[in-house]
Amino acid sequence: MSVFDLFKKKNSGSYAKDRLKLLLVSDRANCSPELMEMIKNDIINVISKYMEIDTEALDIQITQTESDGNNGAVPALYANIPIRDLRQKN
């Protein structure tokens, strides 16, 4: 990654792709896209206190997984959050 990558603007196709991903994830979770966006922002805010993260490459999804208690498939939050650096506590 070069220094110039930090200043790249996202094109409209990237924004449309992000919105579509958010819509699909929220549909799987049976919650609104607005709620999914709030969850994503909360996760970013909390983790950013302790680490510098790559918000452009962040991927948050809700998937189905089998429960341990024979309850069938249950929703699970999956977050792939690339970490650039750890913040030093003073």
Side-chain angles (χ1 to χ4, degrees):
M1 176 200 252
S2 74
V3 174
F4 297 108
D5 290 340
L6 299 173
F7 300 105
K8 279 187 183 177
K9 284 189 174 183
K10 283 180 122 179
N11 60 25
S12 61
S14 294
Y15 283 114
K17 182 179 171 184
D18 289 346
R19 286 194 309 269
L20 180 58
K21 283 170 67 175
L22 184 62
L23 181 62
L24 291 172
V25 168
S26 65
D27 186 49
R28 276 191 214 152
N30 198 19
C31 68
S32 70
E34 293 81 17
L35 179 61
M36 286 300 300
E37 188 66 28
M38 289 180 354
I39 291 170
K40 179 180 174 182
N41 289 337
D42 285 348
I43 290 171
I44 289 171
N45 289 334
V46 169
I47 292 176
S48 293
K49 290 179 185 178
Y50 306 100
M51 303 170 195
E52 182 182 341
I53 61 174
D54 183 358
T55 57
E56 296 297 319
L58 181 91
D59 182 26
I60 296 177
Q61 300 175 18
I62 295 189
T63 61
Q64 295 291 322
T65 186
E66 290 297 319
S67 72
D68 292 337
N70 294 327
N71 294 332
V74 294
L77 179 70
Y78 167 79
N80 182 7
I81 306 168
I83 299 169
R84 290 185 176 158
D85 196 16
L86 295 177
R87 299 204 188 278
Q88 300 297 321
K89 287 286 185 178
N90 294 335

